C-alpha cells in the first residue's frame, strides 16, 4: 500500500521552508557528536529522496512477501521472508541448524545441532548462516526537530493527522499510521525505556541521555541488494563496549519515525560477512541477554522450544535500523 506523494510533498515543502532558519539535523549531529561518524542509515535519511523528481510515492505498507521452499536445492530446508516489519524463517535440515528472523525488520535466532542458541559473541570466522538483509519499504526521510514538533503525533490527533496527509480514515494507510502511533504510546516492557523519535535531533537527545555523549551509532551496511543466501562470517567480529545500548527501529510512517528502546541487558556487535555471491556486509547485531519479560508466544521461543529468560536472543538489524553504544573507555 502506498501514500500518494502530492499532498505529502506540499506538507514537507512547507516544513522545510519553516525550518530553514533552524540548525540542520546534520549540523546538530556534528555539534553534539563531533567525534562520532554518522552511519549510512542516518545519511540516507538526510537525503531529500521524497522531493526528487524520480520519486512518485511513499511506501507505508507492510511490505512484500516471499516464500521459497527449497526442495532439492543446495542447503535444502525452507526459507520465508516477509518484507517491511516482516518475518523470516529458515529451517536448515542438512546441519540441523535453525535460523529465525522476526520483529521490527527482523530478528535472527540460530540454534546449533543440539538446540542450543549460537551467541553472536561466540561466532567465529568460517561459520555459515542463511540471511536476507532488507530495508523497510518506507522511503520516508527525517523532518527537522522544528517541523516535527509542529506536526501532531498522538492518537487523540488522528483526524488532524489524516487530514494533513490526505489519508482517508479507515483505509489501510490510516490503520498503519494509527498502529505506529499506538505502539509509540504503549508502555514499554519491564527493564526497557522506550521513546519514539520523530526527528534525528530527538533520537540523538534520547540516546545521549541514556548513554552519555561519548557514543557511536552503528548500522548494517551491505554493498548491494541481495536475496536470501548463505553468508560466511569473516575475521574481525567486534563486540561493542558495555552491556547497554539504545536500539532504534524505523517505523512505517510518512516521515522518518524511529521506535527506540534503551536497555541494560544487551550486547552489540559488528559482524563482517561475505555472501555466497561475493556480497560483503558489515552487520550490526544485538544479543538480548534477558528475555524474561518477553511475550511467551514470541516466535523465537516457539522455534527454539525454550521459555522466556532461558537463553539470549540475538538478531541482525536491517540496514535502516540504528544501534547506539557507549565508546570504550581508554584502557579497555
Amino acid at each position: 500500500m502506498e501514500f500518494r506523494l502530492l499532498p505529502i510533498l506540499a506538507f514537507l515543502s512547507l516544513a522545510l521552508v519553516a525550518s530553514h532558519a533552524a540548525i540542520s539535523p546534520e549540523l546538530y549531529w556534528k555539534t553534539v557528536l563531533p567525534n562520532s561518524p554518522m552511519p549510512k542509515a542516518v545519511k540516507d535519511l538526510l537525503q531529500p529522496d521524497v522531493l526528487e523528481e524520480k520519486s512518485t510515492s511513499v511506501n507505508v505498507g507492510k511490505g512484500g512477501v516471499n516464500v521459497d521452499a527449497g526442495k532439492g536445492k543446495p542447503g535444502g530446508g525452507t526459507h520465508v521472508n516477509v518484507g517491511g516489519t516482516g518475518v523470516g524463517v529458515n529451517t536448515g535440515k542438512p546441519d540441523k541448524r535453525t535460523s529465525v528472523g522476526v520483529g521490527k525488520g527482523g530478528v535472527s535466532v540460530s540454534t546449533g545441532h543440539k538446540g542450543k542458541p549460537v551467541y553472536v559473541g561466540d561466532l567465529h570466522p568460517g561459520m555459515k548462516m542463511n540471511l536476507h538483509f532488507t530495508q523497510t519499504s518506507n522511503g520516508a526521510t527525517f523532518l527537522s526537530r522544528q517541523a516535527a514538533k509542529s506536526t501532531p503525533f498522538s492518537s487523540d490527533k488522528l483526524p488532524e493527522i489524516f487530514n494533513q496527509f490526505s489519508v482517508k480514515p479507515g483505509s489501510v494507510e490510516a490503520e498503519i499510521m494509527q498502529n505506529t502511533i499506538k505502539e509509540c504510546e504503549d508502555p514499554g516492557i519491564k527493564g526497557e525505556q522506550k521513546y519514539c523519535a520523530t526527528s534525528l535531533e530527538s533520537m540523538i537527545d534520547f540516546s545521549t541521555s541514556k548513554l552519555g555523549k561519548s557514543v557511536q551509532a552503528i548500522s548494517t551496511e551491505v554493498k548491494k541488494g541481495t536475496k536470501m543466501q548463505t553468508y560466511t562470517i569473516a575475521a574481525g567480529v567486534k563486540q561493542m563496549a558495555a552491556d547497554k545500548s539504545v536500539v532504534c527501529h524505523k517505523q512505517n510512517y510518512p516521515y522518518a519515525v524511529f521506535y527506540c528502546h534503551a536497555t541494560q541487558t544487551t550486547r552489540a556487535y559488528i559482524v563482517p560477512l561475505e555472501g555466497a555471491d561475493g556480497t560483503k556486509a558489515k552487520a550490526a547485531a544485538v544479543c538480548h541477554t534477558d528475555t524474561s519479560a518477553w511475550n511467551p508466544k514470541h516466535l523465537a521461543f516457539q522455534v527454539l522450544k525454550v521459555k522466556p529468560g532461558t537463553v539470549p536472543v540475538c538478531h541482525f538489524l536491517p540496514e535502516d535500523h540504528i544501534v547506539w553504544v557507549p565508546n570504550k573507555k581508554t584502557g579497555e
Side-chain angles (χ1 to χ4, degrees), residues 53-179:
E53 183 178 351
K54 65 181 180 181
S55 297
T56 57
S57 64
V58 175
N59 297 316
V60 190
K62 296 182 179 179
V65 176
N66 175 59
V67 178
D68 170 24
K71 297 181 179 180
K73 298 180 181 179
T78 299
H79 307 284
V80 180
N81 181 69
V82 181
T85 58
V87 176
V89 177
N90 168 338
T91 303
K93 295 182 180 179
D95 58 2
K96 297 182 180 180
R97 185 188 298 121
T98 300
S99 300
V100 179
V102 61
K104 298 177 181 301
V107 171
S108 180
V109 181
S110 299
T111 64
H113 66 285
K114 294 183 178 180
K116 296 180 180 180
V118 176
Y119 305 102
V120 174
D122 294 336
L123 297 182
H124 53 80
M127 188 169 184
K128 300 178 184 294
M129 62 190 70
N130 290 327
L131 297 170
H132 183 198
F133 292 104
T134 63
Q135 290 184 321
T136 62
S137 59
N138 182 359
T141 54
F142 280 117
L143 293 182
S144 70
R145 186 204 301 270
Q146 183 177 348
K149 281 186 174 181
S150 65
T151 305
F153 188 82
S154 64
S155 294
D156 60 356
K157 297 287 186 180
L158 281 173
E160 182 180 345
I161 295 171
F162 293 154
N163 181 64
Q164 192 165 38
F165 290 101
S166 298
V167 172
K168 183 179 179 181
S171 65
V172 174
E173 297 96 332
E175 181 181 357
I176 291 169
M177 293 175 69
Q178 183 173 351
N179 287 342

Side-chain angles (χ1 to χ4, degrees), residues 216-234:
Q216 59 179 309
I218 60 175
S219 64
T220 293
E221 296 187 15
V222 184
K223 294 298 183 182
K224 61 181 179 179
T226 64
K227 58 185 179 181
M228 172 78 78
Q229 64 173 310
T230 300
Y231 281 88
T232 302
I233 297 179

